[in-house]
Amino acid sequence: MNLWTDRVRNGLLNTVLLVMGLGVAVLLYALVTRTTTPRTNPSRVAQATELVGPVIQVEVRNGAGVDHLAAQTTRFLRDRGFDVVEVGNYASFSQEHSVVVDRVGDMESARKVARALSIPDERVEQNIQTDYYLDASVILGKDYRTLRPFKGQAERQPAP
């Protein structure tokens, strides 16, 4: 019985060593590949609006903290022909007013998104981000009930 437990112990030890050896080999391969592969330049071309195509690409962020707010806005915008490429929560849930942020230097596209949602033009801002591959960001605020996708739903939704 002692011989049997020694064999099992040795087999487990060999298995652990094999797995660790494979892990080290993968890490070494990743290190060599990362250092020898040339980096891609993430900068946009001079005509950034041509890069994203004819359809306005948008991200929708929930800054109000209300469940399913960004998802409902995404459906609304997609039904109107916008390409919503990213959906999620904003950095905080303390956004008072909904805004649209131009990301590529095309304020007219950002204004089209704002008009579709009934966000006033004075709440269209510009913050160009060359590493974002989209035209505009929608940040939904606590005033979301005044926006077109949510009009008439105020009595059905609890206050945030």
Side-chain angles (χ1 to χ4, degrees), residues 92-114:
S92 73
F93 291 138
S94 59
Q95 184 77 22
E96 288 299 319
H97 299 286
S98 300
V99 296
V100 176
V101 183
D102 167 32
R103 297 296 189 188
V104 295
D106 183 2
M107 287 292 283
E108 187 53 36
S109 290
R111 284 189 193 99
K112 286 180 183 179
V113 175

Side-chain angles (χ1 to χ4, degrees), residues 44 52-61 70 73-78 80-88 99-104 106 108-117 119 132-140:
R44 284 186 179 246
V52 293
V55 177
I56 298 172
Q57 292 182 321
V58 181
E59 74 170 334
V60 178
R61 298 290 176 192
T73 304
T74 295
R75 282 191 299 276
F76 179 85
L77 288 171
R78 284 181 176 160
R80 279 144 189 85
F82 294 96
D83 183 11
V84 180
V85 297
E86 184 77 27
V87 180
V99 296
V100 176
V101 183
D102 167 32
R103 297 296 189 188
V104 295
D106 183 2
E108 187 53 36
S109 290
R111 284 189 193 99
K112 286 180 183 179
V113 175
R115 282 186 218 119
L117 295 170
I119 295 174
Y132 287 18
Y133 285 96
L134 49 92
D135 294 294
S137 299
V138 175
I139 304 168
L140 300 166

Side-chain angles (χ1 to χ4, degrees), residues 2-150:
N2 200 5
L3 182 62
W4 183 79
T5 56
D6 286 342
R7 282 187 180 188
V8 170
R9 189 175 297 141
N10 286 340
L12 287 175
L13 183 60
N14 287 337
T15 303
V16 168
L17 288 174
L18 178 67
V19 169
M20 289 178 63
L22 287 173
V24 169
V26 168
L27 290 174
L28 284 174
Y29 173 77
L31 177 67
V32 168
T33 304
R34 185 170 185 142
T35 55
T36 59
T37 305
R39 296 273 180 197
T40 304
N41 184 358
S43 300
R44 284 186 179 246
V45 295
Q47 299 295 327
T49 55
E50 290 178 14
L51 180 65
V52 293
V55 177
I56 298 172
Q57 292 182 321
V58 181
E59 74 170 334
V60 178
R61 298 290 176 192
N62 181 352
V66 177
D67 288 342
H68 310 295
L69 197 60
Q72 189 168 348
T73 304
T74 295
R75 282 191 299 276
F76 179 85
L77 288 171
R78 284 181 176 160
D79 287 346
R80 279 144 189 85
F82 294 96
D83 183 11
V84 180
V85 297
E86 184 77 27
V87 180
N89 290 330
Y90 188 54
S92 73
F93 291 138
S94 59
Q95 184 77 22
E96 288 299 319
H97 299 286
S98 300
V99 296
V100 176
V101 183
D102 167 32
R103 297 296 189 188
V104 295
D106 183 2
M107 287 292 283
E108 187 53 36
S109 290
R111 284 189 193 99
K112 286 180 183 179
V113 175
R115 282 186 218 119
L117 295 170
S118 68
I119 295 174
D121 281 351
E122 58 268 11
R123 285 198 258 135
V124 177
E125 306 168 357
Q126 189 172 58
N127 182 1
I128 296 174
Q129 297 289 331
T130 58
D131 56 339
Y132 287 18
Y133 285 96
L134 49 92
D135 294 294
S137 299
V138 175
I139 304 168
L140 300 166
K142 294 180 182 178
D143 65 342
Y144 71 92
R145 289 185 186 101
T146 64
L147 302 181
R148 210 166 267 132
F150 305 100

